[in-house]
Amino acid sequence: SMTAKLFSQCYIGESHREMCCCEALLLGYTSEDFGYLSNQVSIWLEGDLPTYHWFNRVPPERIRKYYDSLLVGVRRTIFDSSVEPEAVLDLDWPYPEKVADLARARLLTVRQALGQYLSGYTSATLSKGLQSVKVTHSDLMIGEGKHLLAWLKSCLMECGSEASIELDDLIFRLHAFGTDESDERQLAIEFLYEDGRYFRWSKKKNNTICEIESHLGEAKENLPTRIKPLTPDQTLSEALFF
């Protein structure tokens, strides 16, 4: 019988004196609920509350000015590298372990699906003879492309280490799709091997169906897979809390 609405707003002006942040939780309840609420609601001090900062289209040079003020004691700082200028990714964040990118959070279901498929092959199979790894992205998913390539690099280098296979000459490339309007792909991955083997994965725009073309084992495979993207609230939760 109870309902609630959370309202939050933060305005940052030219100086810290012009900064204004507020948050309000509005509760709707009947008189019968009052007794329950009186036993459940407690008073929290400001220091008890989690503090988060979401930078949206804030110039990198201005973010640097907040290093010793806004970012001190913060629980998590988030931004979206597919929206922000590239320089934001290169900032020397004072607490990088507390910084999260919404573009990386949106890749959660993609990483899960790729990991589930590729885990069916041994580390030696995935790393032996591997020559190049390419990730291609649409203009609106440059952040996802960068994080996907970094994740693949980390995983494949670990495979090479486990299989005692040197991957020093392995080439990692990041590309953007061309201007061909008939190309409906949003993200794509390609592994190429010196013996002719390959692994290709692609995701189309506005579609939950992805395609896998693989020749990692003895037989070639062409498989459709379904990846349900995270909703905006799930993406925000993934970035803030995990």
Side-chain angles (χ1 to χ4, degrees):
S1 60
M2 289 185 289
T3 60
K5 179 182 290 186
L6 177 65
F7 172 81
S8 61
Q9 177 177 317
C10 190
Y11 169 78
I12 302 175
E14 295 296 330
S15 68
H16 297 309
R17 293 183 181 274
E18 298 178 68
M19 181 177 64
C20 175
C21 297
C22 64
E23 182 174 282
L25 181 63
L26 310 179
L27 293 176
Y29 59 92
T30 65
S31 58
E32 289 80 9
D33 298 320
F34 179 77
Y36 173 78
L37 287 174
S38 63
N39 293 325
Q40 296 297 317
V41 178
S42 60
I43 298 176
W44 286 4
L45 299 177
E46 183 179 359
D48 297 327
L49 296 173
T51 305
Y52 305 97
H53 292 297
W54 181 354
F55 288 106
N56 183 38
R57 300 187 183 278
V58 179
E61 57 273 12
R62 181 173 294 182
I63 295 178
R64 292 190 185 95
K65 296 179 181 179
Y66 300 147
Y67 280 175
D68 299 324
S69 55
L70 281 179
L71 300 184
V72 174
V74 70
R75 298 286 181 89
R76 185 66 59 89
T77 298
I78 64 173
F79 64 94
D80 190 338
S81 60
S82 285
V83 175
E84 304 297 333
E86 187 173 354
V88 174
L89 275 175
D90 301 326
L91 283 174
D92 187 18
W93 297 92
Y95 306 102
E97 70 279 3
K98 297 182 179 181
V99 178
D101 189 345
L102 289 170
R104 185 181 186 279
R106 286 192 292 267
L107 288 174
L108 175 64
T109 52
V110 173
R111 298 197 308 269
Q112 289 174 337
L114 289 171
Q116 184 177 14
Y117 178 83
L118 293 174
S119 65
Y121 298 92
T122 65
S123 296
T125 299
L126 292 175
S127 53
K128 185 177 181 180
L130 182 58
Q131 291 182 318
S132 66
V133 175
K134 181 174 71 172
V135 172
T136 312
H137 61 83
S138 65
D139 291 339
L140 298 178
M141 300 192 71
I142 183 173
E144 284 87 341
K146 290 180 178 179
H147 283 292
L148 186 56
L149 185 65
W151 176 72
L152 289 172
K153 182 177 182 179
S154 174
C155 294
L156 291 170
M157 296 304 289
E158 182 67 24
C159 285
S161 178
E162 289 183 0
S164 299
I165 296 175
E166 295 291 337
L167 295 175
D168 296 336
D169 297 328
L170 178 56
I171 299 173
F172 292 92
R173 295 178 293 172
L174 182 68
H175 290 273
F177 289 117
T179 57
D180 185 2
E181 296 183 357
S182 63
D183 195 335
E184 298 181 352
R185 292 176 298 171
Q186 194 175 48
L187 276 175
I189 298 171
E190 183 179 57
F191 298 177
L192 294 179
Y193 293 81
E194 61 184 14
D195 59 0
R197 291 182 298 131
Y198 58 83
F199 170 78
R200 299 186 182 99
W201 173 92
S202 62
K203 180 183 183 302
K204 292 184 177 181
K205 301 175 183 177
N206 303 318
N207 200 322
T208 61
I209 302 300
C210 304
E211 297 179 357
I212 290 178
E213 299 177 38
S214 176
H215 186 196
L216 295 173
E218 295 182 356
K220 296 181 180 180
E221 291 184 320
N222 290 275
L223 302 173
T225 61
R226 184 177 182 272
I227 296 180
K228 184 179 180 181
L230 296 183
T231 60
D233 57 321
Q234 290 173 330
T235 300
L236 192 59
S237 297
E238 173 68 17
L240 287 176
F241 305 118
F242 299 100

